[in-house]
Amino acid sequence: MISSRLSLIRPAFISCGAVLVPLMIAGAIWEGIPGVLGAIAGVALVAVGFIGSWIFVAWSERIGLRMVLPAGVMGYVAKIILVSVAFLAATRTGWSGTMPMALATFVAIVVLLAVLMVWAARMRLPVVEPSDSL
């Protein structure tokens, strides 16, 4: 049952890989090697946060449906903390790849949200017909 909930992970990895190459090229043009590393770090941050929270929500659904909302909120809080700590560490060191990392993070989030919307629109949901005997 949990594997059916994880069907979005493959498209998420594919979209992250597809967006990574152009972002690495843009980072190389913008800042050189630090720009490439920033692009990789930004996409990796989004991919790890998204896939980790998706697995956490799918696992919580196995425990009980009441756990899905708290797990989703905890997943978002964990992602915000992860991204904040990563950017705080990058800015404290004075690393020149911070701006390409920020751009890559933004682009990867937009692409993953688009993939999620397409996946949700194509998802087959069960239909429950109301009974006439009320």
Side-chain angles (χ1 to χ4, degrees):
M1 177 159 173
I2 197 167
S3 64
S4 66
R5 303 290 186 254
L6 300 180
S7 62
L8 181 62
I9 289 182
R10 180 176 292 156
F13 270 131
I14 291 170
S15 65
C16 285
V19 78
L20 180 62
V21 174
L23 288 171
M24 287 173 57
I25 293 169
I29 292 169
W30 192 0
E31 288 288 337
I33 297 296
V36 172
L37 295 176
I40 293 170
V43 173
L45 261 173
V46 173
V48 167
F50 178 79
I51 292 168
S53 67
W54 195 261
I55 290 171
F56 185 61
V57 169
W59 171 78
S60 70
E61 185 181 7
R62 282 189 71 179
I63 294 174
L65 289 177
R66 289 182 173 176
M67 295 297 294
V68 172
L69 180 63
V73 171
M74 287 174 26
Y76 279 115
V77 169
K79 283 191 274 189
I80 290 169
I81 291 171
L82 173 72
V83 170
S84 298
V85 167
F87 277 102
L88 185 62
T91 56
R92 291 279 171 114
T93 62
W95 181 47
S96 62
T98 304
M99 286 306 292
M101 181 177 162
L103 176 68
T105 301
F106 175 76
V107 171
I109 288 170
V110 169
V111 168
L112 274 177
L113 287 176
V115 167
L116 179 62
M117 287 189 297
V118 170
W119 178 83
R122 293 182 177 179
M123 190 171 69
R124 296 180 55 132
L125 297 173
V127 177
V128 178
E129 296 291 332
S131 65
D132 291 334
S133 60
L134 289 177

